[in-house]
């Protein structure tokens, strides 16, 4: 085995030299000199940075029928700050550029097929084109351009005015995506002090998962203002609404259970991840905060010490499984819970049960005494009425007897009814 490995190690350079010699001989035998493409041009169809690169095959290959002609295109990606490469059989290619920077493209000719003994040959030289951005008043580009897709309901793109922007100038925003034939202007500008500072798009103005090109340009008496070009997909700029409903209660073993509801709107709930800020008074009396990330709409934490306050608030953003990036929402309102207000277990000095019993006994006693007094008064009144009635009856009877005494025997008294 060792001898075989040594033989392979010694023969490897020879094999490589043989292959290289064969490749060179194939090129010499073919007698071809591969020239780079011609008539390289970069055309701007008005798509705000999506440029069309075109070229023609070299004249030496126009009548070449046995070769497969391809092209190798290198262009400098001004958004990624690196070279991108494409190999294609077509003579045109579209690429996105930042038109505030130089447009730099290079193209080679690549041959393959019977004319090259089925060996791929790339031209040594290339055709290059460098296109400079148009002239503009220096340091007049807008500042802090940002677009936010609020709760997937409407999008706002805002910018700040450069301090060196002439006072008599006005900005305009244009946008384009593949569903539009030509660039369109902002449907509704945001005004600040009589100057355009942004643009508002409704929910259906812009498509999801599609590159959208934006351009903010303008002009003044001094000349054209420096434009700003941005390319983005709106689902990567979503800012969910703030959470409005939070609940905090005592769980088993004196734990705190925090739950909240997803914000209303078009944002899918399964795409949200959450951040909880827990603020608590430390041993030295200062407020200590920590943040906890979770994918659930609930969180269980150990309780705080007696007479300490725990406060919570939450916010959300779309996770990486749904979008490339996103914005954190605004914080929810803060919910705070002292332990004495959460847990139902009363402290000894605050036991209210005996007081409730005493109050109940006093009320019942008062009611019973009131009832007894009322009954006694009623019974006394009833006795007095009976006594008076008896006296009246006796008085009436005596009066009748006194009138009937003179009539004795069988003689009838006058006025006596028989």
């Amino acid at each position: 085995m060792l001898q075989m490995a040594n033989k392979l190690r010694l023969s490897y350079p020879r094999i490589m030299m043989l292959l290289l010699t064969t490749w060179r001989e194939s090129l010499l035998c073919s007698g071809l000199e591969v020239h780079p493409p011609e008539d390289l041009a970069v055309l701007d169809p008005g798509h705000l940075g999506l440029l069309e690169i075109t070229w023609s095959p070299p004249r030496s290959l126009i009548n070449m029928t046995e070769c497969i002609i391809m092209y190798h295109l290198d262009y400098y990606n001004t958004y990624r700050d690196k070279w991108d490469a494409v190999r294609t059989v077509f003579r045109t290619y579209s690429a996105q550029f930042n038109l505030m920077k130089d447009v730099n493209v290079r193209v080679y000719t690549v041959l393959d097929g019977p004319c090259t003994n089925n060996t791929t040959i790339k031209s040594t030289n290339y055709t290059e084109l460098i296109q400079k951005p148009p002239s503009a008043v220096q340091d007049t580009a807008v500042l802090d351009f940002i677009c936010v897709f609020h709760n997937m309901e409407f999008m706002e793109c805002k910018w700040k005015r450069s301090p060196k922007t002439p006072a008599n100038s006005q900005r305009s925003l244009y946008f384009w995506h593949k569903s539009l034939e030509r660039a369109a202007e902002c449907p509704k500008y945001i005004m600040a002090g009589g100057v355009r500072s942004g643009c508002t798009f409704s929910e259906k103005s812009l498509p999801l998962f599609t590159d959208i090109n934006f351009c903010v340009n303008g002009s003044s008496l001094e000349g054209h203002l420096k434009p700003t070009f941005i390319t983005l997909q709106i689902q990567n700029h979503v800012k969910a609404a703030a959470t409005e409903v939070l609940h905090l209660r005592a769980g088993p073993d004196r734990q705190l259970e925090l739950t909240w509801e997803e914000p209303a709107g078009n944002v899918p709930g399964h795409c949200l991840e959450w951040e909880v800020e827990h603020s608590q008074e430390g041993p030295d009396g200062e407020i200590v905060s920590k943040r906890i990330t979770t994918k659930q709409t609930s969180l269980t934490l150990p309780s705080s010490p007696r007479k300490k306050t725990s406060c919570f608030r939450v916010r959300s953003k779309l996770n990486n499984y749904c979008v490339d990036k996103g914005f954190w929402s605004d914080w929810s309102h803060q919910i705070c819970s002292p332990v004495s207000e959460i847990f139902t277990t009363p402290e000894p000095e605050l036991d209210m049960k005996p007081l409730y019993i005493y109050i109940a006994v006093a009320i019942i006693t008062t009611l019973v005494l009131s009832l007894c007094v009322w009954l006694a008064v009623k019974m006394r009144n009833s006795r007095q009425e009976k006594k008076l009635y008896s006296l009246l009856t006796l008085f009436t009877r005596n009066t009748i007897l006194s009138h009937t005494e003179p009539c004795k025997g069988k003689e009838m008294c006058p006025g006596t009814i028989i």
Side-chain angles (χ1 to χ4, degrees), residues 383-394:
R383 289 174 182 173
Q384 290 179 351
E385 290 177 357
K386 288 182 178 180
K387 185 176 181 180
L388 179 60
Y389 179 77
S390 300
L391 293 174
L392 291 174
T393 304
L394 180 61

Side-chain angles (χ1 to χ4, degrees), residues 247-250 256-258 278-280 303-305 307-312 334-343:
H247 304 281
L248 186 62
R249 68 182 185 88
L256 296 178
E257 292 185 356
L258 175 68
H278 179 200
S279 300
Q280 191 174 20
S303 64
S304 59
K307 298 183 180 178
K308 298 293 184 180
T309 300
S310 291
C311 295
F312 302 88
Q334 195 174 57
I335 181 171
C336 298
S337 297
V339 175
S340 60
E341 294 182 7
I342 301 177
F343 297 103

Side-chain angles (χ1 to χ4, degrees), residues 120-189:
T120 302
I121 304 175
K122 179 182 175 182
S123 64
T124 305
N125 298 325
Y126 55 82
T127 302
E128 184 178 28
L129 185 147
I130 300 176
Q131 183 171 290
K132 296 289 184 179
S135 60
V137 181
Q138 292 298 316
D139 299 326
T140 56
V142 297
L143 305 176
D144 301 331
F145 183 91
I146 187 172
C147 294
V148 179
F149 194 15
H150 292 278
N151 211 32
M152 300 187 74
E153 295 174 355
F154 68 96
M155 191 171 80
E156 287 184 341
C157 294
K158 295 183 178 181
W159 59 82
K160 294 180 181 179
R161 190 182 181 92
S162 171
K164 296 187 178 181
T165 303
N168 57 355
S169 63
Q170 188 67 281
R171 289 289 184 174
S172 298
L173 180 141
Y174 295 89
F175 66 98
W176 178 87
H177 51 82
K178 62 182 180 181
S179 300
L180 297 176
E181 294 183 1
R182 60 180 63 87
E185 191 174 359
C186 166
K188 183 179 180 181
Y189 283 106

